[in-house]
């Protein structure tokens, strides 16, 4: 069965410093993995997706994630945080052959000036 | 950029009443979804819809819930006889391709917050 674990419910970083949001997944098949971001009063916006092509995936706004099958991880990183990155981030897994997305519990990113 | 639009943004209702949440998916998308997030809990899949029928549903999506595409633009979620535990944020989503075309990428709306008193 699919599952996703986001290891940190809250992360605080200073503006200009690196961001690391951790995600581990469990999947029976070859999964598709996604990161979504939710700003206040906005919809869930796709940051990036992994679909069994390149293991290092680049997304919007300077974010990237690396798929590591041996560690069953899909951590999200950004070299330098910006104030506008403050939001809630969701790691999502979807198995082949199902319409269902499985969401992690979310990580709230706070960026300090 | 195309958006998924949801109305109302917030609805308050009395327990036992019927509620209809509305969504306008992206115009060229063919697959439609409802998810919900109870406060403090995970975002959960409810149902997917394609070609005017349910393609997949979760165990949450029981007889209390129904979905409909009444015209060419709207996609609705009806909750009959609401209960306190139906209070949640409900997200509509749509996608252009389905599960047999590589990664199925969903575009989500901003959500409809339902409060049942």
């Amino acid at each position: 069965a699919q599952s996703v674990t986001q290891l940190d419910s809250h992360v605080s970083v200073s503006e200009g410093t690196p961001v690391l949001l951790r995600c581990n997944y469990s999947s029976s098949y070859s999964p598709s993995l996604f990161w979504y971001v939710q700003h206040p009063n906005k919809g869930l916006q796709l940051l990036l997706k992994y679909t069994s092509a390149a293991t290092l995936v680049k997304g919007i706004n300077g974010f990237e994630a690396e798929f590591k099958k041996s560690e069953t991880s899909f951590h999200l990183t950004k070299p330098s945080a910006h104030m506008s990155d403050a939001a809630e981030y969701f790691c999502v897994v979807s198995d082949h052959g199902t319409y269902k997305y499985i969401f992690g519990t979310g990580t709230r990113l706070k960026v300090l000036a | 950029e195309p958006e998924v639009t949801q109305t109302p943004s917030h609805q308050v209702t009395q327990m036992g009443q019927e509620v209809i949440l509305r969504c306008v998916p992206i115009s060229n998308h063919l697959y439609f979804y409802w998810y919900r997030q109870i406060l403090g809990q995970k975002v959960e899949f409810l149902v997917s819809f394609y070609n005017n029928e349910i393609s997949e549903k979760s165990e949450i999506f029981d007889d209390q819930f129904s979905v409909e595409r009444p015209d060419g633009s709207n996609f609705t979620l009806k909750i009959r006889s609401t209960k306190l535990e139906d209070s949640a944020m409900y997200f509509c989503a749509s996608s252009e391709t389905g599960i047999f075309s590589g990664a199925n990428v969903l575009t989500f709306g901003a959500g409809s917050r339902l409060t049942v008193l």
Side-chain angles (χ1 to χ4, degrees):
Chain A
Q2 310 162 75
S3 68
V4 171
T5 302
Q6 291 186 245
L7 296 153
D8 306 292
S9 59
H10 292 82
V11 170
S12 291
V13 300
S14 297
E15 190 174 23
T17 64
V19 175
L20 169 64
L21 305 183
R22 299 182 292 167
C23 172
N24 286 95
Y25 71 92
S26 172
S27 172
S28 303
Y29 304 101
S30 179
S32 294
L33 292 158
F34 310 84
W35 276 97
Y36 279 81
V37 61
Q38 185 179 29
H39 292 274
N41 301 317
K42 300 285 188 183
L44 294 155
Q45 180 186 19
L46 179 69
L47 273 180
L48 48 81
K49 64 181 181 182
Y50 166 77
T51 59
S52 75
T55 57
L56 183 62
V57 180
K58 292 189 185 300
I60 62 172
N61 301 335
F63 284 94
E64 62 182 36
E66 186 171 8
F67 174 73
K68 292 187 177 180
K69 188 174 181 178
S70 60
E71 298 176 10
T72 61
S73 69
F74 190 59
H75 302 333
L76 181 71
T77 60
K78 182 173 180 178
S80 176
H82 191 271
M83 296 297 287
S84 60
D85 295 328
E88 183 128 27
Y89 292 79
F90 293 94
C91 183
V92 179
V93 66
S94 181
D95 267 343
H96 179 73
T98 175
Y99 288 98
K100 185 191 303 185
Y101 271 19
I102 303 296
F103 279 75
T105 49
T107 298
R108 186 164 295 278
L109 176 65
K110 187 174 182 179
V111 182
L112 307 170
Chain B
E1 188 174 326
E3 288 185 340
V4 174
T5 305
Q6 290 187 239
T7 55
S9 56
H10 190 192
Q11 181 158 357
V12 180
T13 191
Q14 295 291 322
M15 192 167 52
Q17 296 297 303
E18 178 181 283
V19 164
I20 297 177
L21 304 179
R22 291 183 167 81
C23 171
V24 179
I26 293 173
S27 61
N28 65 332
H29 285 187
L30 301 175
Y31 300 80
F32 314 113
Y33 311 83
W34 284 101
Y35 284 75
R36 79 172 184 189
Q37 184 180 30
I38 296 172
L39 188 64
Q41 298 186 24
K42 291 185 179 185
V43 178
E44 303 171 290
F45 170 77
L46 291 178
V47 66
S48 61
F49 190 87
Y50 170 68
N51 200 26
N52 282 318
E53 60 182 33
I54 291 172
S55 46
E56 190 172 350
K57 63 181 182 179
S58 71
E59 58 278 5
I60 303 168
F61 194 87
D62 59 19
D63 292 343
Q64 185 194 6
F65 295 91
S66 62
V67 289
E68 190 178 35
R69 188 157 164 81
D71 54 43
S73 59
N74 288 283
F75 178 54
T76 62
L77 174 69
K78 182 188 289 185
I79 309 174
R80 285 180 282 275
S81 189
T82 49
K83 299 175 281 194
L84 295 176
E85 54 264 38
D86 295 326
S87 295
M89 179 74 89
Y90 289 82
F91 293 103
C92 175
S94 67
S95 65
E96 187 175 3
T97 62
I99 58 176
F100 303 109
S101 306
N104 188 30
V105 179
L106 272 58
T107 301
F108 286 86
S112 292
R113 181 167 297 285
L114 175 64
T115 302
V116 182
L117 302 176

